[in-house]
Amino acid sequence: MSATDVLLDGFGRVEQTVAELLDGLTPDQLAHRVHGAGNSIGWLVWHLTRVQDDHVADLAGTSQVWTEGWSKRFGLPLPEEDTGYGHDSGQVASVETTAELLLGYHQAVHARTADYLRSVKPADLAEVVDEAWDPPVTRAVRLVSVLEDDLQHAGQAAFVRGLLT
């Protein structure tokens, strides 16, 4: 198994988890915030998908799926480039949507991610993509960071879903 196969498997697990998380949830359930202040399932899934979309598009040198019509479909009162990083409580609450729309966006981002990963050659993974860090960040490290962030947020969303039942 190659490193890209491992990454494909990991991102595939995120997609599967997101689909299971969203299955059957209403907009009110997606917007539920623990103690009225935590991150909602809808926000968590939107955010993890936005970060994946943003970072993979940057690595691939392509536009984000979000800017290809999804931002208009969601109609959120946020700047189009917003990924949710650093959101305050009001911004978290502003992410109101449906499970179908979230799943559609996530599946489109996953498809773009999988296509990109299939194009990555082993030598590409060692390429430095960000010298602002010490040590500099390679393509492999950036992809693992996105995968780790996705899995953490998916776990948080699963926890909130568990509190709903």
Side-chain angles (χ1 to χ4, degrees), residues 121-152:
K121 295 172 182 57
D124 297 338
L125 293 172
E127 179 187 356
V128 172
V129 296
D130 189 348
E131 295 193 19
W133 297 90
D134 185 19
V137 176
T138 64
R139 187 174 309 276
V141 168
R142 178 62 46 85
L143 288 164
V144 170
S145 294
V146 172
L147 182 57
E148 183 259 346
D149 187 68
D150 281 359
L151 290 168
Q152 283 201 32

Side-chain angles (χ1 to χ4, degrees), residues 67-88:
T67 63
E68 297 171 0
W70 286 97
S71 67
K72 286 180 179 40
R73 291 174 73 182
F74 274 75
L76 301 177
L78 301 167
E80 188 173 53
E81 67 277 3
D82 198 334
T83 64
Y85 182 77
H87 269 191
D88 62 26

